[in-house]
Amino acid sequence: MKVRYEPFGAWVKLESTPALVALDRDGVRALGLDGGLAWRDDAPPTSPIEVHLAVTQRCGAGCEGCYLDARPDGLEPPRDVMLARLDALRDAGVMTVAFGGGEPVTRDDLGELAEEARKRGLTPVLTTSGLGLSPAKVARLGSFAQVNVSYDGAGEDYAAVRGFDGTRAAETAIGLLTRGGIRVGVNVVLTRLTLPRLGDTLRRARALGAAEAQLLRYKPAGRAASLDYYARRLTPEQVDSFGETLSSLTVEHASEPRMSIRIDCSMVPFLSGSPAVYDHPESLVRAGIFGCEGGQALAAVKVDGRVAPCSFVPSTTLDAAGLVAGHERDADLARWRAYPTSAPEPCASCAIAAVCKGGCKAVAAFVDGAYGPDPECPRVRAFRARPLGAEAAS
Amino acid sequence: MPDPETRVVDPAHIRALRVGHGANCSSIGSVVDTLFVTALLGGAVFAAVMAGLATEKVEVIPTPKAPRRDDHDDAKLDGPAA
């Protein structure tokens, strides 16, 4: 197991089972360890535990909603540059590195980069559309702990999200990877048109061999930062019932062969519409749910090497090479870290604010023009819809 | 450092348990299985985690504030300077 000290105790990444455990200080002491300097009151904030690393900007898919605006002639850093970035992540104490792009499988050295990540003690994972993934390429991806294939549904559902039908490539990739002995997940972007058929999509993915389904909120970044966003985002009714949807899906897929259901950080505010969750915020903490972790547990290293709070927002001026010291000092990252402690209403009084941390800043920035409360959160919607004067009267 | 045979972490000291690797490259994900079907899955997952905590070799990730130590490096077993 790998242990990384934190002010609360330590994050422990197990090897025998894919899990990350937050131990309090006494738990760490039971391992025979002591956090020392990391446990002092004046200890600096720690580095991200997970970094999303763009290994290329090249992609020929041309998805309408690409959050990076990836293109066939995009920038692709040479191998030595990528190795230096992996060095920087290792030195910062990062645990998991998620390779993305562009389309990462366009790199001939992708498997070698994963091996190099392993040598540095990092756990490499990968996201791909499946386009261009051949049996020969799959044979070189064995160092990845998991590969997620973008799979928004079959046929028209895939096309509704990405503008073309990539179903065949995605389903072929899931099969190739599964037969290659690689744990496979699917990334499912949810829009108002595709959510009603999410059950069918997940059943099909599971039948193809997926062990995990990552549900993703459609986000207004890159080519998706357009008016079209408003026609694709989930409806308020879909958001309000999202907790029930999740509950139903997790129960359905809990039997063997089990498929885990995962939600992205931007969907945590949707859970405020679920009394079963909202009334028991401690359950979110125990389950290790992460809301907006930009500037904290999460960072993105974009293809030019600049660090960002997450992949959907503009980069800071910090270069990956300076992550060790810069993560604490960078003003933008510090601002993101500070947001949850000074968030305005209705976040300030929200029971799950400590986990949610204000929701998706990328959505807030696009819809409201500022990094504020997530405008699509059920509580935020209700707060903004209250009668004029209600705040003064309360 | 406690012998791996006798190392015991009280479950009460587990603040949070994040299951799975995840492999998304754009936003950080969290498995919600144990949030909604605790009774069905929680026990098996928890048992695996407790076994891992009890038996796996310990490696401390070096940070600028905490030098690397591991089970096989007796010279470094003292805690980092407080």
Side-chain angles (χ1 to χ4, degrees):
Chain A
M1 72 181 86
K2 290 185 170 63
V3 178
R4 201 184 87 168
Y5 297 128
E6 301 287 339
F8 61 76
W11 279 114
V12 178
K13 187 170 180 54
L14 296 175
E15 305 292 342
S16 57
T17 189
L20 193 59
V21 187
L23 288 181
D24 66 17
R25 293 182 180 185
D26 285 338
V28 177
R29 292 188 184 101
L31 298 177
L33 302 171
D34 187 296
L37 289 171
W39 287 355
R40 283 179 19 172
D41 290 341
D42 59 351
T46 52
S47 300
I49 57 174
E50 180 170 322
V51 167
H52 298 160
L53 181 65
V55 299
T56 183
Q57 203 175 32
R58 292 180 189 166
C59 182
C63 299
E64 290 177 350
C66 178
Y67 66 90
L68 277 179
D69 195 18
R71 298 175 183 279
D73 59 352
L75 177 68
E76 187 160 290
R79 185 169 182 272
D80 60 336
V81 170
M82 296 311 306
L83 294 181
R85 289 175 189 169
L86 292 174
D87 286 343
L89 302 190
R90 173 202 59 202
D91 294 345
V94 172
M95 291 177 153
T96 299
V97 56
F99 286 33
E103 175 46 69
V105 302
T106 60
R107 289 194 72 112
D108 291 334
D109 61 352
L110 184 62
E112 295 169 42
L113 290 178
E115 292 167 14
E116 293 291 341
R118 289 279 188 188
K119 288 177 186 173
R120 289 160 175 76
L122 302 162
T123 299
V125 295
L126 170 69
T127 303
T128 176
S129 67
L131 293 167
L133 195 62
S134 63
K137 284 194 174 181
V138 168
R140 297 197 292 270
L141 301 182
S143 288
F144 285 105
Q146 183 169 319
V147 176
N148 272 23
V149 178
S150 299
Y151 185 69
D152 306 315
E156 63 180 18
D157 283 346
Y158 193 110
V161 175
R162 296 176 190 266
F164 70 100
D165 183 3
T167 307
R168 185 170 178 182
E171 294 189 348
T172 300
I174 295 169
L176 284 173
L177 291 161
T178 302
R179 289 192 294 278
I182 298 172
R183 179 180 164 86
V184 180
V186 288
N187 278 3
V188 185
V189 176
L190 303 181
T191 69
R192 65 181 57 186
L193 288 176
T194 58
L195 183 64
R197 292 185 290 279
L198 177 60
D200 293 338
T201 298
L202 297 195
R203 279 188 283 276
R204 187 168 174 88
R206 186 184 185 188
L208 290 165
E212 185 175 284
Q214 164 86 57
L215 307 184
L216 299 161
R217 187 171 167 187
Y218 190 77
K219 300 182 192 70
R223 286 198 286 272
S226 71
L227 288 176
D228 193 43
Y229 170 74
Y230 295 99
R232 296 193 178 203
R233 64 179 179 177
L234 299 181
T235 67
E237 294 75 21
Q238 289 172 327
V239 168
D240 290 346
S241 61
F242 189 65
E244 294 171 31
T245 302
L246 277 183
S247 178
S248 171
L249 291 171
T250 52
V251 170
E252 177 182 348
H253 295 286
S255 59
E256 296 296 336
R258 185 160 67 92
M259 183 171 73
S260 286
I261 308 296
R262 183 179 284 262
I263 60 170
D264 82 358
C265 40
S266 68
M267 289 177 151
V268 173
F270 294 177
L271 298 177
S272 70
S274 168
V277 175
Y278 189 79
D279 294 343
H280 303 280
E282 72 284 355
S283 64
L284 287 172
V285 175
R286 278 201 308 268
I289 306 296
F290 278 170
C292 178
E293 288 289 339
Q296 300 185 65
L298 173 68
V301 174
K302 300 201 176 183
V303 75
D304 63 358
R306 298 292 179 185
V307 175
C310 80
S311 299
F312 296 101
V313 296
S315 303
T316 67
T317 57
L318 178 65
D319 188 88
L323 187 60
V324 171
H327 191 259
E328 174 191 359
R329 296 174 189 158
D330 183 87
D332 286 334
L333 296 177
R335 186 165 55 92
W336 278 62
R337 268 194 300 278
Y339 178 82
T341 59
S342 57
E345 290 292 357
C347 297
S349 59
C350 178
I352 66 171
V355 172
C356 172
K357 299 184 177 176
C360 186
K361 310 298 186 296
V363 171
F366 179 77
V367 174
D368 291 339
Y371 288 156
D374 191 323
E376 293 164 19
C377 163
R379 288 190 85 252
V380 174
R381 277 198 335 294
F383 182 78
R384 292 181 178 180
R386 73 196 189 287
L388 284 174
E391 189 175 13
S394 61
Chain B
M1 186 168 295
D3 188 301
E5 297 295 319
T6 60
R7 188 196 303 153
V8 176
V9 176
D10 187 331
H13 297 307
I14 294 179
R15 294 164 49 107
L17 172 57
R18 283 177 55 78
V19 180
H21 291 300
N24 182 40
C25 64
S26 61
S27 51
I28 196 163
S30 305
V31 168
V32 294
D33 300 4
T34 54
L35 187 63
F36 292 105
V37 282
T38 308
L40 195 60
L41 300 171
V45 172
F46 210 74
V49 166
M50 295 309 294
L53 289 172
T55 60
E56 288 191 21
K57 176 177 174 284
V58 176
E59 178 188 355
V60 175
I61 292 178
T63 70
K65 299 292 183 185
R68 177 185 287 275
R69 301 177 300 153
D70 62 45
D71 281 346
H72 300 296
D73 192 349
D74 292 340
K76 297 179 181 175
L77 286 181
D78 294 335

